[in-house]
Amino acid sequence: MSLDIDKDISVIVILYNTPLNKIENLKQFKNFRLIILEQGSPVSSKKRIKKILNFKFNYFYSKKNLGLSKGINFLLKKTKTKYCLITEPDVVIDKKSIINLKNILSLNKKFLLVSPNYRKKKDLRKFIITKNIDLSCVIFETKKLVKFNFYDEDFFFFWNDIDLIRRINNSKFQMVIANKSYAKHNMSSSSKKNTYISFLREKSFKYGELVFDYKHNNLRFIKILRQFIQSFVGIFLGLLIMDKKKIITKLGYFFGILSFLTYMINR
């Protein structure tokens, strides 16, 4: 199959227990250099993905779940193009919008991240400078963002976006929303749901919250102690009333706090 490939842009995507119907969305990147990291799966899905996409892509696999931060940073090291688009399997965006993102990015050296608009509205401006941005789909200059340090690998999954946005707002760089680039984010989970994944999300959220507070000098010991006790009591109450969701949430928080304490001891 002969494709008109944009050699300036790589698209990087992380898959974690991703349903195959979500892989269909990746067909929209056939005109770019697609790089995929599949992680946390006992068996590689490369053959099945290749059959679905039917075009060339770079594929990496890790049986171990590296987490979002390490996974993205790993893929950035594999990116050789000037520009890079990070996105998720459930984001829909067309080629025209991606090219416009690149064009907006090139307007000003201070622009570090450019994201699409998620709702069409009448606005004659080409772009809007913002203090907050949706990192589910952003484009940037690869070398510039690697030098800036994209994701802090101390964050496993949650809070890495908030940390990155705060660091950008405290720097000379800016974040931008491109008004003429449109995307749709199907907010249903891009990973299959099961009890372990739910537990992992809750654990990562609480762990990331405490790491974020620590790194930004906003952590008090009393908060850790209070949340540790609340989590322990919450697990007991959940068992008492047989509330599975409450048990998973509080169990995740409990082990998230333990992981943070281990993180502090190892520093």
Side-chain angles (χ1 to χ4, degrees):
M1 185 187 303
S2 177
L3 294 174
D4 182 19
I5 305 295
D6 188 312
K7 296 181 180 180
D8 282 341
I9 302 176
S10 291
V11 177
I12 64 177
V13 179
I14 286 186
L15 306 180
Y16 175 71
N17 212 17
T18 305
L20 289 179
N21 67 306
K22 297 289 183 182
I23 304 298
E24 291 280 345
N25 286 344
L26 301 184
K27 289 180 178 179
Q28 65 193 326
F29 303 123
K30 64 183 180 181
N31 296 110
F32 304 96
R33 297 184 182 275
L34 177 62
I35 310 175
I36 295 171
L37 169 63
E38 182 182 20
Q39 58 178 353
S41 173
V43 181
S44 167
S45 302
K46 184 177 181 180
K47 288 184 178 179
R48 287 185 293 170
I49 295 172
K50 189 175 181 180
K51 191 174 292 186
I52 293 171
L53 298 185
N54 197 30
F55 64 87
K56 288 184 179 181
F57 58 90
N58 289 343
Y59 174 91
F60 300 93
Y61 167 75
S62 171
K63 185 175 182 179
K64 179 182 178 182
N65 183 7
L66 304 174
L68 183 63
S69 298
K70 286 185 179 180
I72 290 292
N73 289 342
F74 170 82
L75 288 181
L76 283 176
K77 293 175 183 177
K78 305 297 181 182
T79 303
K80 306 302 180 183
T81 52
K82 181 176 181 180
Y83 301 100
C84 180
L85 179 83
I86 288 180
T87 189
E88 298 177 5
D90 52 4
V91 171
V92 178
I93 185 170
D94 60 25
K95 180 181 178 181
K96 182 180 178 181
S97 289
I98 294 174
I99 297 300
N100 184 59
L101 289 176
K102 180 181 76 171
N103 292 338
I104 296 298
L105 183 65
S106 64
L107 292 177
N108 193 320
K109 291 183 178 179
K110 286 187 177 181
F111 293 171
L112 189 64
L113 297 177
V114 180
S115 79
N117 218 319
Y118 289 91
R119 55 179 182 175
K120 293 187 178 182
K121 55 184 179 179
K122 293 181 180 180
D123 195 327
L124 298 177
R125 294 173 295 175
K126 290 183 178 179
F127 60 85
I128 302 170
I129 295 173
T130 181
K131 291 292 184 180
N132 195 22
I133 202 167
D134 187 337
L135 286 161
S136 58
C137 183
V138 289
I139 198 169
F140 50 84
E141 285 190 36
T142 308
K143 289 183 179 180
K144 184 186 292 186
L145 203 57
V146 168
K147 186 176 181 180
F148 182 83
N149 184 22
F150 190 74
Y151 277 146
D152 184 334
E153 294 187 4
D154 283 346
F155 296 98
F156 184 78
F157 186 72
F158 291 104
W159 294 87
N160 41 14
D161 288 1
I162 299 172
D163 173 74
L164 174 61
I165 288 170
R166 177 173 287 195
R167 286 190 286 115
I168 294 173
N169 284 327
N170 290 334
S171 74
K172 63 181 180 180
F173 295 111
Q174 297 173 321
M175 298 174 291
V176 175
I177 297 172
N179 282 330
K180 302 302 180 183
S181 291
Y182 303 105
K184 181 180 179 182
H185 194 177
N186 300 314
M187 296 305 290
S188 59
S189 176
S190 55
S191 297
K192 296 176 184 176
K193 292 183 178 179
N194 59 42
T195 300
Y196 175 71
I197 290 177
S198 297
F199 163 77
L200 186 62
R201 285 180 177 273
E202 302 297 345
K203 176 186 174 184
S204 298
F205 178 85
K206 181 55 61 180
Y207 170 78
E209 177 190 344
L210 295 174
V211 171
F212 179 84
D213 285 347
Y214 169 73
K215 284 180 174 285
H216 294 279
N217 301 313
N218 195 33
L219 182 65
R220 298 171 60 195
F221 176 76
I222 190 66
K223 176 179 179 177
I224 302 173
L225 181 61
R226 183 179 66 250
Q227 292 191 354
F228 188 84
I229 294 172
Q230 288 174 343
S231 299
F232 186 81
V233 172
I235 294 169
F236 176 76
L237 291 176
L239 289 169
L240 200 63
I241 62 176
M242 298 301 291
D243 187 334
K244 183 179 179 181
K245 184 177 179 180
K246 187 179 185 67
I247 295 170
I248 292 172
T249 299
K250 295 303 181 180
L251 200 61
Y253 285 4
F254 183 81
F255 279 94
I257 295 168
L258 289 180
S259 293
F260 173 73
L261 293 175
T262 302
Y263 164 80
M264 290 296 297
I265 290 170
N266 292 331
R267 287 187 67 81

